[in-house]
Each structure stands twice: as structure tokens, then as C-alpha cells.
């Protein structure tokens, strides 16, 4: 039996940043059966999404306002990534070259105008860009783009190395990582948390931070309910090439994100689906490619950014995204379970990763996270929890 | 059919492309290129051997004139006798590994083309097919294999059924080498080749050996020698070019412009081979300027290739690490991943960043080794060997390592030529292309 003051379950961006923020002030142990950042936090496109995506526009204005509550987290995340970059001497690589959501049809132009209006009312710094101004602002998009919404702080993070850098810094400050054990059980015992691990003799912890992404529901299931939805997403990347895109380019009504990272490779994402298959093993799921998604992603990319013509796609992969069932981040202590903290954001979970990690760390230390977490409390599922608990 | 004198690149005839091989990939390349109007020669490797591929300089007799690239001359042989000398603009090697084309320093013929093997030849690499082929035509003086005897047999036995047929030839081959009295050096790679008068002096690298061999000719038959080692071994200089995103070989005679197709590029299975063949034909067509868009349906076939690829990936994960990375005296500038320009020095430098124990996957993520065009086919073994040599990687995590991902081979992003779905966009694209 290992003992620690804080146990972090999951070594993705949330778990690694929580460990980074906790390490100077607490005894921290991170466990993950798969290794460092092997799941969503490495499969991710790692775009810094600071305006709302087309999915937020689907359910009407009431729904839109619900999504807009994320703004405080977005602002915090933006500041926090910048700080992480400077605290690590630039080894956490953050690029804020601005992001643009394009409209190729008049209908999409109308949607974008409305989105920008609503976003600005909610405090976002999104701007609508007329066709005539696009040529100067984002010359790389096709001439058929009729309008766009722009956020100057959007960009991306180098997700290949970010978790490694945060984990290294955390280790240097005393955090421990067990990257071969899965948490298999969780219960309260003698005022502490008794956590079973497989393999291993288990962990005794004062505080448990659940940073298990898509596996949040599963890890919590013995003691609480946070319903999650799991989906497979598709990514492709091209060989490195000369500079062709200097911004993050997205689409109003089609799942698309295109950016060229500093190594010259162009990443194509945006959320096209992949197949999710249930399997045995610590994670319980695996993903498989859908040809239609690959093809549509590539075709959209080169249509919207014609300069990509001729680049070779060297690899495609899929990733598993876990989102809270109501699509709003869950950050907070589980009501009635002292010292059990959950932190998971979903769709823009990479962007919000350090904020999720920071808030969880503050809560674990009994300190004020500095952002209003009321809209994100796991307590909102409490009613569901009782019902579900009754059937277990 | 006349055999040219050594170094005389004058071809008997000139075509667009020479395809070497006989499998589905080779046939698909030929079909597809012919469909597009190219003149293609299929050199069926069961009957003919490629003895040398010599790149032509601008203005050489037989060079493709003002066309770029200047072209190549391929020397073919039948049963060890010179058969045909063909000029062409591209060569597709659909043999089973990259390195089966005989490689001579400086791109010159170090001996008569098509000459039977004699005891003045050193065969390095240990690709079974190539070695067996070579033995059919003579007996080399020595054979250098980069892996140990146990590893050779061991990894073949672990190969998926599809590939296990290779185990028998391996056993047969070793027996044959013993019968013929060929000296086999296991665990030995090629470190350098230098000229010694009319001959070549080959320096081995491996388990404590430093016993150079002087021969007239060296044949390299393995893709697992890190390409920089290969380039260096023939005296080529290379430098990482960030703009081009690749290693630029200063002495480009050493690495010939040969395109690998099918098994040579790591693709297995009939559907996969055919799919890849079509893709390669696409690339060649672009390279030499043939008209016509990509063939329809190629991506469907690619889907099937992927499934076959998974089997290969598992097998590759199994053999990774059993192939020693040349180490004694290997410099920090030795390229481990030629696609991304990752050197041994780069690997050493990232150790502090890795969790302990690191997995090959950690190495890949942090250094980008294995993330380039070939997707780890050339570096997986070296990266895994390095990680193991650090003594921190246990074999049961090797499966988490480098693996080829879909698409197995590069797909090219192309602006759609035909209206599809978004009519308006296609329209606009057509307009955009007008001057
Ligand atoms: C393809 C794709 C593209 C994306 N693109 C973007 C984007 O552009 N921008 C953006 O902001 N977001 C994006 N996202 C979302 C974002 O990547 C994720 O929300 C974020 O990475 C989640 O981080 P995490 O740390 O919560 O989860 P993860 O990184 O998934 O980490 C959870 C960890 O928990 C571990 N775990 C699971 N079960 C157990 C157990 N029983 N015991 C211990 N550990 C366990 C897992 O092994 C895993 O390492 C994308 C996601 C995907 C899949």
C-alpha cells in the first residue's frame, strides 16, 4: 500500500498539469496504466479554441448561452498556457497566431454573424471578418470563402511534448508517476481514500483528483455518477512542407480544422467521426478509422486552403474523446464525497487542460481556484447519481 | 544486346519507367502507368536481375535530354549474364526491401555489369531473397548479417503466418552458406567502404570486429542499416535540410532515385500491394509529367491495405530491438530517423524528459522519430534498439512502440478536379486555375 496526500488518476493534460501545480505544495502521485499522455492528450489536434465551435450553434440561442459560460475558463486557459510557456523557458510550445472560422455559403455567413454577435455579448473577443478584409488577414483561405469569424488569440500547443515537459517539471518538484497501474476501485475508509490499483497493492490518499478524461465515469462509478459520452475522432497529418497556412482555419458547418505546425507538417482535424469499438483491457475501447471521414477531411482541407494542394498525408489516426453528457466541463468536488475532485472538459479539453489541472490542484489544497466553478459542479448530476446509485 | 564497358552509361534503349519485381504492386504500377500512356518495362525479378542503376548527369549519352531528372540507366542480367541496358526516367523497385539494388560507391560500376558473383564480392544486409538470389549466381566471399543467428531464426518463427514462409528459406540459406564455405559474420553491419586501388575495402561494425575485407564489389541487401550509415559507408555526405524537410545527400550518386513500391515500402498483402502500386504510379506520373488524375478507387483499396498492414505492424514490433543498432564507434551524428532527421545525439539529449522506463513511443513522441514519410519503417528497429540498449525498456512494452499508421503510404492532397458535392466550390476551383 502506497500512501500519498494527493492521488491524481490519469496522466493526460489535466493530470500532468494538476501534478505540475500541486508538486511544490503537496506530496503527489500520478497513476496511469498506459503511460504519459497516451490517450486524448496526444491524439488531440491541440488547437487553442477560444471562440465557440459550430457545435455550439446547433441547439438554438438558449443552448448557445449555456455553452458561452465557458468564457471564464477560456480566458483563464489562455493566460495559463502563456504562463506555462514562459515558466518552462519555452519548452511548452504555444503558438497564438489567430484562428478563423470560415463560411463558404450565405447561410453560413448569417450563422457566423449571429455567433459573433452572441459571443461578443457574452464577452468573447471574436470579430466578424468581411470577404474584402480576408485577403489581408488570412490570405491562405480560398477565394470562395465569403466571411469568417476571427479570434486573435487562437492557435495551438505542441501536444507531443507538453505533457512530458509538465511531468518533468512536476517530477523535479517531487511528484511521482506510476505509469503502469490502473485504478480499479475507489472507496472512503478511515477518513482517507482507499484506491485499488491493478497491478499493485493500492494507494491510500487524502485527496483524489480524477483526471481520467473519457474514463471519468468509469473510474468514479463506485462512488459517484458523472455521465460521459464517448466518441471517436479522426486526424490526419501531412509531411512537412514550406509555410502555407499561418493561422488556425476552421469551418462553420463542416467539422474541419487546419493548421501548419512549426515543424512544417499540416494537421487536419475538426472532429470527423471514427468508429468506437468496445474491447477488453484497462481502457475498454479502441477506435477504428472511417474512410469517409478521412476523405472528407482531406478534401475539405484542400478546398478551404488551396495552398495545401500536393502535400502528402503521411499518417491518419483516431482518438477517443470523452465529453460530459451535457457538453459542459465538470470541475469540482463531488458533493458528499470529501476530497474527491473531478476535472474533465470534453470537446475543448486540451485548451482547458491547464485550467482544469489548476482548478483541481487549488481545490485539492483547499484554496480558491480564482475562477467561478459554479456552472461546472459535478453536483449537477447528483439527482442522476442517486437514481443510478440505487440500481447498482 | 551488348554489355557496356564499366562506367559507360549508353543504354540499348530508352523508356519512361523501369519497374523491377513481379508481384501485385509491380503489376499495378505497370498497368496504371501504361493506362496513362507511359512506356514501361517490367523487369521480372524471377528471371532478370538488376545489376546496377546508374544516375545520368545532364549531357551524358542517353540522358533524357532537357527533361528533369536527367534519368538513369538500368543494367539487367539474366542468369548472371548481361541482358539489357535500359535508359529511363524513373525506376520502381517492387522487390521486398529497399536495398536489393546492388549499390556501388559513387554510382560507378565496380565490375562488369551482369557479371556473375565470384569470391570477390561481399554481401551485406541479409535480406533473404536477395541473398538467395545472389547465391544462385555464385558464391560471395563473405556475408555480413546485422543480427545474431538466434535472432534471425527466432524472429522468423514469430512472424505472422503470412510471412512465416520465410523461416524455411532462412534455415536453407544458412545451410547453403555453410556448405559453400562462405564466411558468415553475424551481428555485423557495414561501417564504411573506401577505395583501395581497383578494389573496395569494407569495414565492419559490430560485436568487437574490426577486420576489414577487400573485395571488388559490395552488394547491400538490407533496409535496416540506418540510411545515414549507408550513405556514409559509400562516402556520401548528407545534411539535414529543414526547408526540404529531409536529408539532402551531397553526393547523390550514393542514394539512387529509385522509388520503392509494395513490399519494398513495407506494404504487405495482395490488395495492399496493388493499392500501393497505383499510388506509386500516381507519384511517378506526377514526377515525370504524365497527364491524368488519380485513379478512381485507390483509397478503397488502401483501406484493405491497412488491415494487412496491422499484421505486419505487430510482426515488426516483434522483431524491433532484435536487430542491433551499430553501436561501437557510432557517432552522435548517426541518423536514426532519416525522414525527420533525428540523430543518436538527439535521442541521448531527450533522456531527461522521458519517464523511467521510457517506451519507444515516448521516444517517438518527443523526438518525432518515426513520424516522417516512411512512418517508422526505416527507424523503428533502430529506435527500439537504442531504447533497449539504454536498458530501460522491457520487451512487453515494445508493442506500444512505433507502428505504421493508416494511410500506410502517403496520399496526396489534391484540389478536386471534378465537381463533387460542393458544386460551387469546384466551380470556383476551376476558375481559380485559369490565368
Ligand atoms: C482527435 C481529437 C482531437 C481533439 N482536438 C482538440 C483540440 O483541437 N482542442 C482542444 O482543446 N481539445 C481537443 N480535443 C479534446 C482534448 O484533447 C481532450 O479533451 C483532452 O486531451 C482530455 O485530457 P484529459 O487529461 O482529460 O484526458 P486524457 O488525455 O484522455 O487522459 C486521461 C488518462 O486517464 C487514464 N486512465 C483511464 N482509465 C484509468 C484508470 N482506471 N486508472 C488510471 N488512469 C486511467 C488514461 O490512460 C489517460 O491517460 C481533441 C480530442 C481528440 C480525441
Amino acid at each position: 500500500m502506497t500512501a500519498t496526500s494527493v492521488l491524481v488518476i490519469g496522466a493526460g493534460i489535466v493530470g500532468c498539469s494538476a501534478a505540475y501545480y500541486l508538486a511544490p505544495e503537496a506530496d503527489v502521485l500520478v497513476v496511469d496504466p498506459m503511460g504519459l499522455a497516451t490517450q486524448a492528450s496526444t491524439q488531440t489536434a491541440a488547437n487553442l479554441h477560444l471562440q465557440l465551435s459550430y457545435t455550439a450553434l446547433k441547439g438554438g440561442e438558449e443552448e448557445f448561452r449555456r455553452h458561452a459560460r465557458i468564457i471564464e475558463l477560456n480566458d483563464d486557459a489562455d493566460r495559463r498556457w502563456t504562463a506555462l510557456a514562459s515558466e518552462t523557458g519555452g519548452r511548452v510550445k504555444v503558438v497564438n497566431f489567430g484562428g478563423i472560422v470560415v463560411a463558404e455559403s450565405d447561410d453560413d455567413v448569417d450563422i457566423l454573424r449571429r455567433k459573433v454577435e452572441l459571443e461578443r455579448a457574452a464577452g468573447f473577443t471574436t470579430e466578424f471578418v468581411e470577404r474584402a478584409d480576408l485577403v489581408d488577414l488570412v490570405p491562405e483561405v480560398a477565394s470562395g470563402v465569403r466571411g469568417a469569424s476571427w479570434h486573435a488569440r487562437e492557435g495551438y500547443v505542441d501536444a507531443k511534448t507538453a505533457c512530458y515537459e509538465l511531468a518533468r517539471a512536476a517530477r523535479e518538484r517531487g511528484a511521482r508517476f506510476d505509469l503502469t497501474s490502473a485504478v480499479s476501485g475507489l472507496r472512503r475508509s478511515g477518513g482517507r481514500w482507499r484506491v485499488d490499483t491493478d497491478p499493485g497493492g493500492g494507494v491510500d490518499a487524502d485527496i483524489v483528483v480524477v483526471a481520467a478524461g473519457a474514463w471519468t465515469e468509469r473510474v468514479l462509478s463506485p462512488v459517484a455518477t458523472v455521465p460521459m459520452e464517448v466518441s471517436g475522432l479522426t486526424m490526419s497529418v501531412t509531411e512537412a512542407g514550406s509555410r502555407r497556412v499561418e493561422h488556425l482555419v476552421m469551418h462553420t458547418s463542416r467539422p474541419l480544422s487546419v493548421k501548419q505546425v512549426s515543424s512544417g507538417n499540416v494537421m487536419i482535424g475538426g472532429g470527423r467521426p471514427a468508429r468506437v469499438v468496445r474491447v477488453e483491457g484497462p481502457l475498454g475501447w479502441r477506435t477504428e478509422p472511417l474512410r469517409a471521414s478521412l476523405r472528407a477531411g482531406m478534401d475539405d482541407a484542400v478546398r478551404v486552403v488551396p495552398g495545401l494542394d500536393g502535400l502528402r498525408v503521411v499518417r491518419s489516426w483516431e482518438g477517443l474523446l470523452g465529453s460530459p453528457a451535457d457538453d459542459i466541463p465538470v470541475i469540482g468536488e463531488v458533493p458528499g464525497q470529501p476530497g474527491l475532485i473531478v476535472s474533465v472538459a470534453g470537446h475543448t479539453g486540451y485548451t482547458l487542460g491547464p485550467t482544469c489541472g489548476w482548478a483541481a490542484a487549488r481545490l485539492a489544497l483547499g484554496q480558491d481556484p480564482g475562477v467561478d466553478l459554479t456552472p461546472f459542479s459535478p453536483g449537477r448530476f447528483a439527482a442522476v447519481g442517486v437514481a443510478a446509485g440505487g440500481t447498482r | 544486346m551488348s554489355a557496356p564497358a564499366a562506367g559507360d552509361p549508353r543504354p540499348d534503349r530508352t523508356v519512361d519507367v523501369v519497374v523491377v519485381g513481379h508481384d501485385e504492386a509491380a503489376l499495378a504500377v505497370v498497368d496504371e502507368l501504361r493506362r496513362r500512356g507511359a512506356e514501361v518495362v517490367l523487369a521480372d525479378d524471377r528471371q532478370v536481375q538488376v545489376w546496377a542503376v546508374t544516375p545520368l548527369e545532364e549531357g551524358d549519352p542517353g540522358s533524357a535530354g532537357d527533361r528533369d531528372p536527367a534519368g538513369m540507366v538500368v543494367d539487367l542480367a539474366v542468369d548472371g549474364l548481361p541482358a539489357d541496358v535500359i535508359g529511363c526516367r524513373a525506376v520502381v523497385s517492387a522487390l521486398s526491401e529497399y536495398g536489393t539494388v546492388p549499390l556501388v560507391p559513387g554510382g560507378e560500376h565496380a565490375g562488369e555489369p551482369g557479371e556473375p558473383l565470384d569470391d570477390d564480392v561481399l554481401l551485406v544486409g541479409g535480406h533473404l531473397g536477395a541473398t538467395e538470389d545472389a547465391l544462385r549466381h555464385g558464391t560471395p566471399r563473405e556475408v555480413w548479417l546485422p543480427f545474431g543467428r538466434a535472432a534471425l531464426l527466432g524472429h522468423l518463427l514469430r512472424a505472422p503466418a503470412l510471412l512465416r514462409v520465410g523461416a524455411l528459406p532462412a534455415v536453407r540459406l544458412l545451410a547453403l552458406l555453410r556448405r559453400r564455405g562462405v564466411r558468415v559474420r553475424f551481428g555485423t553491419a557495414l561501417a564504411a567502404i573506401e577505395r583501395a586501388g581497383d578494389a573496395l575495402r569494407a569495414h565492419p561494425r559490430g560485436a568487437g570486429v574490426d577486420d576489414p575485407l577487400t573485395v571488388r564489389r559490395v552488394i547491400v541487401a538490407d533496409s535496416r542499416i540506418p540510411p545515414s550509415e549507408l550513405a556514409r559507408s559509400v562516402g556520401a555526405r548528407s545534411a539535414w535540410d529543414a526547408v526540404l524537410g529531409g536529408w539532402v545527400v551531397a553526393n547523390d550518386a550514393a542514394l539512387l532515385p529509385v522509388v520503392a513500391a509494395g513490399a519494398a515500402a513495407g506494404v504487405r498483402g495482395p490488395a495492399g500491394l496493388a493499392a500501393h502500386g497505383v499510388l506509386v504510379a500516381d507519384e511517378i506520373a506526377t514526377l515525370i509529367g504524365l497527364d491524368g488524375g488519380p485513379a478512381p478507387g485507390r483509397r478503397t483499396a488502401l483501406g484493405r491495405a491497412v488491415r494487412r498492414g496491422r499484421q505486419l505492424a505487430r510482426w515488426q514490433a516483434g522483431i524491433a530491438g532484435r536487430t542491433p543498432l551499430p553501436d561501437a564507434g557510432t557517432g552522435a551524428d548517426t541518423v536514426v530517423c532519416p525522414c525527420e532527421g533525428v540523430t543518436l545525439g538527439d535521442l541521448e539529449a531527450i533522456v531527461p524528459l522521458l519517464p523511467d522506463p521510457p517506451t519507444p513511443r515516448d521516444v517517438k513522441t518527443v523526438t518525432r522519430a518515426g513520424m516522417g514519410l516512411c512512418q517508422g519503417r526505416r527507424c523503428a528497429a533502430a529506435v527500439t534498439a537504442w531504447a533497449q540498449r539504454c536498458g530501460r525498456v522491457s520487451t512487453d512494452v515494445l508493442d506500444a512502440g512505433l507502428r505504421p499508421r493508416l494511410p500506410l503510404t502517403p496520399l496526396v492532397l489534391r484540389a478536386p478536379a471534378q465537381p463533387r458535392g460542393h458544386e460551387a466550390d469546384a466551380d470556383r476551383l476551376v476558375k481559380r486555375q485559369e490565368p
Side-chain angles (χ1 to χ4, degrees):
Chain A
M1 178 75 61
T2 312
T4 183
S5 60
V6 185
L7 173 71
V8 176
I9 304 176
I13 188 62
V14 176
C16 289
S17 50
Y20 174 85
Y21 292 121
L22 279 164
E25 304 186 44
D27 170 29
V28 188
L29 172 65
V30 182
V31 292
D32 195 307
M34 307 305 290
L36 209 51
T38 60
Q39 303 303 311
S41 299
T42 188
Q43 297 156 346
T44 185
N47 300 325
L48 292 175
H49 288 304
L50 298 171
Q51 51 184 318
L52 294 179
S53 90
Y54 78 110
T55 45
L57 299 164
K58 281 184 170 167
E61 294 189 6
E62 194 48 47
E63 175 76 4
F64 189 86
R65 270 186 278 277
R66 214 166 59 80
H67 284 286
R69 284 186 279 180
I70 211 168
I71 183 160
E72 205 187 340
L73 301 184
N74 279 3
D75 288 347
D76 183 80
D78 183 16
R79 282 192 299 273
R80 218 162 276 294
W81 277 116
T82 307
L84 284 176
S86 76
E87 286 157 31
T88 57
R91 290 199 308 268
V92 168
K93 297 188 193 78
V94 182
V95 175
N96 302 96
F97 50 20
I100 191 122
V101 179
V102 303
E104 289 185 293
S105 68
D106 292 338
D107 282 352
D108 278 2
V109 168
D110 293 342
I111 293 174
L112 273 192
R113 283 190 200 279
R114 187 72 191 127
K115 175 179 100 94
V116 170
E117 223 172 84
L118 289 167
E119 282 180 346
R120 293 191 71 85
F124 289 77
T125 56
T126 325
E127 291 165 51
F128 187 82
V129 186
E130 303 288 347
R131 168 72 240 166
D133 301 324
L134 268 174
V135 189
D136 289 331
L137 188 65
V138 193
E140 56 266 47
V141 301
S143 56
V145 170
R146 297 169 191 201
S149 71
W150 163 258
H151 193 298
R153 296 286 302 160
E154 288 193 322
Y156 72 94
V157 176
D158 180 359
K160 292 192 312 304
T161 50
C163 284
Y164 286 88
E165 292 293 352
L166 294 176
R168 161 162 65 184
R171 276 201 313 268
E172 283 169 4
R173 299 170 184 195
R176 291 169 293 154
F177 284 77
D178 170 355
L179 298 174
T180 53
S181 300
V183 166
S184 53
L186 190 67
R187 64 187 175 281
R188 197 87 186 128
S189 155
R192 305 192 79 198
W193 285 96
R194 221 25 194 318
V195 181
D196 302 324
T197 57
D198 177 25
V203 182
D204 241 349
D206 299 320
I207 309 278
V208 172
V209 171
V210 179
W215 297 272
T216 301
E217 179 172 7
R218 190 158 140 175
V219 168
L220 278 174
S221 63
V223 287
T225 298
V226 170
M228 299 283 297
E229 251 157 39
V230 171
S231 53
L233 304 182
T234 307
M235 294 290 309
S236 293
V237 66
T238 72
E239 64 188 320
S242 56
R243 299 302 307 174
R244 297 154 198 245
V245 208
E246 289 300 351
H247 305 90
L248 170 63
V249 179
M250 296 154 289
H251 198 282
T252 313
S253 56
R254 297 170 75 80
L256 177 70
S257 80
V258 175
K259 65 177 172 294
Q260 188 168 23
V261 297
S262 59
S263 54
N265 306 78
V266 175
M267 290 176 75
I268 302 170
R272 293 227 171 244
R275 191 179 292 122
V276 178
V277 185
R278 286 195 167 272
V279 291
E280 294 296 309
L283 298 186
W285 289 296
R286 125 180 106 66
T287 48
E288 288 185 353
L290 288 176
R291 199 166 45 82
S293 288
L294 284 169
R295 181 182 190 130
M298 292 178 197
D299 289 351
D300 280 352
V302 70
R303 193 186 66 250
V304 172
V305 185
L308 304 183
D309 191 25
L311 273 182
R312 289 175 287 185
V313 174
V314 294
R315 181 168 33 121
S316 296
W317 67 94
E318 320 90 52
L320 198 69
L321 173 73
S323 268
D326 60 1
D327 243 351
I328 305 283
V330 178
I331 310 172
E333 191 176 50
V334 178
Q337 304 285 3
L340 181 62
I341 292 155
V342 191
S343 203
V344 59
H347 275 106
T348 61
Y350 205 84
T351 307
L352 298 179
T355 294
C356 288
W358 162 265
R362 290 289 104 182
L363 294 174
L365 298 168
Q367 295 168 4
D368 178 11
V371 277
D372 176 14
L373 294 176
T374 329
F376 311 111
S377 162
R380 65 182 188 268
F381 302 114
V384 190
V386 171
T391 62
R392 247 186 209 103
Chain B
M1 289 186 208
S2 61
D8 179 359
R10 190 172 297 118
D12 294 336
R13 59 192 166 123
T14 298
V15 298
D16 290 314
V17 181
V18 173
V19 178
V20 189
H22 67 270
D23 65 5
E24 287 85 346
L27 298 177
V29 178
V30 173
D31 266 6
E32 184 62 22
L33 285 171
R34 286 212 174 125
R35 197 179 67 76
R36 293 166 179 229
E39 203 181 327
V40 187
V41 164
L42 175 68
D44 183 330
D45 63 316
R46 292 167 299 185
Q47 292 158 28
V48 300
Q49 301 85 46
V50 175
W51 282 113
V53 179
T54 314
L56 293 174
E57 300 295 333
E58 242 15 282
D60 268 348
S63 101
D66 52 3
R67 286 178 301 194
D68 189 30
M72 283 157 269
V73 170
V74 182
D75 294 325
L76 297 177
V78 174
D79 286 338
L81 297 171
D84 213 351
V85 182
I86 305 176
C88 62
R89 289 195 282 160
V91 173
V92 177
S93 166
L95 301 167
S96 343
E97 297 282 345
Y98 283 111
T100 39
V101 172
L103 185 130
V104 291
E108 295 164 30
H109 301 286
E112 293 299 308
E115 191 179 36
L117 280 178
D118 56 28
D119 61 358
D120 248 3
V121 170
L122 165 67
L123 193 71
V124 290
H127 174 255
L128 296 180
T131 310
E132 213 170 39
D133 252 3
L135 287 170
R136 225 172 276 143
H137 305 293
T139 304
R141 180 112 61 92
E142 290 195 6
V143 173
W144 295 356
L145 302 174
F147 32 70
R149 189 194 309 259
L152 173 67
L153 297 176
H155 78 61
L156 282 166
L157 290 173
R158 272 184 293 273
L162 193 69
L163 305 172
R164 201 175 304 134
V165 283
L168 213 58
V171 176
R172 236 183 17 228
L173 190 70
L174 293 181
L176 183 62
L177 288 169
R178 194 174 327 113
R179 266 205 311 281
R180 297 243 193 121
V182 178
R183 180 178 177 200
V184 180
R185 298 197 204 176
F186 287 99
T188 304
L190 183 65
I193 304 178
E194 56 183 345
R195 286 217 168 274
D198 281 348
L200 303 170
R201 188 175 301 120
H203 295 269
R205 165 175 292 151
V209 275
D210 188 16
D211 178 10
L213 182 71
T214 304
V215 285
R216 273 197 309 129
R217 186 175 171 124
V218 177
I219 296 179
V220 177
D222 187 30
S223 64
R224 264 184 243 109
I225 296 172
S228 69
E229 288 285 299
L230 200 56
R232 188 189 294 177
S233 71
V234 295
R237 281 165 293 116
S238 52
W240 176 251
D241 185 321
V243 178
L244 291 176
W247 286 91
V248 179
V249 179
N251 170 8
D252 67 355
L255 295 177
L256 300 164
V258 176
V259 181
V267 180
R268 295 294 195 273
L273 294 175
H276 190 251
V278 176
L279 288 171
V280 166
D282 276 354
E283 290 311 307
I284 300 256
T286 312
L287 188 78
I288 67 175
L290 292 177
D291 293 324
R298 63 188 180 131
R299 290 179 182 172
T300 313
L302 201 70
R304 291 194 291 271
V306 168
R307 284 192 289 282
R308 311 272 180 172
R310 290 214 168 113
Q311 192 182 20
L312 173 72
R314 280 196 295 277
W315 183 69
Q316 280 182 335
I319 63 163
R322 295 187 179 92
T323 309
L325 178 72
D327 58 0
T330 308
D333 65 335
T334 295
V335 179
V336 173
C337 167
C339 299
E340 290 288 331
V342 179
T343 62
L344 262 188
D346 293 332
L347 295 185
E348 303 292 346
I350 48 110
V351 169
L353 194 54
L354 303 181
D356 190 10
T359 63
R361 184 189 170 284
D362 291 322
V363 177
K364 163 180 154 177
T365 313
V366 175
T367 62
R368 297 194 58 89
M371 288 189 158
L373 264 186
C374 92
Q375 287 294 293
R377 285 191 286 270
R378 290 189 285 174
C379 69
V383 168
T384 312
W386 172 81
Q388 270 190 333
R389 208 175 67 207
C390 294
R392 303 196 203 88
V393 179
S394 66
T395 41
D396 59 340
V397 296
L398 289 179
D399 266 343
L402 303 148
R403 58 193 166 111
R405 293 280 180 96
L406 183 153
L408 284 175
T409 53
L411 290 176
V412 182
L413 291 178
R414 296 254 187 253
Q418 298 295 317
R420 181 172 62 206
H422 275 231
E423 307 290 344
D425 301 319
D427 242 343
R428 174 177 49 70
L429 277 165
V430 172
K431 288 204 187 84
R432 188 174 58 84
Q433 281 156 4
E434 285 163 7

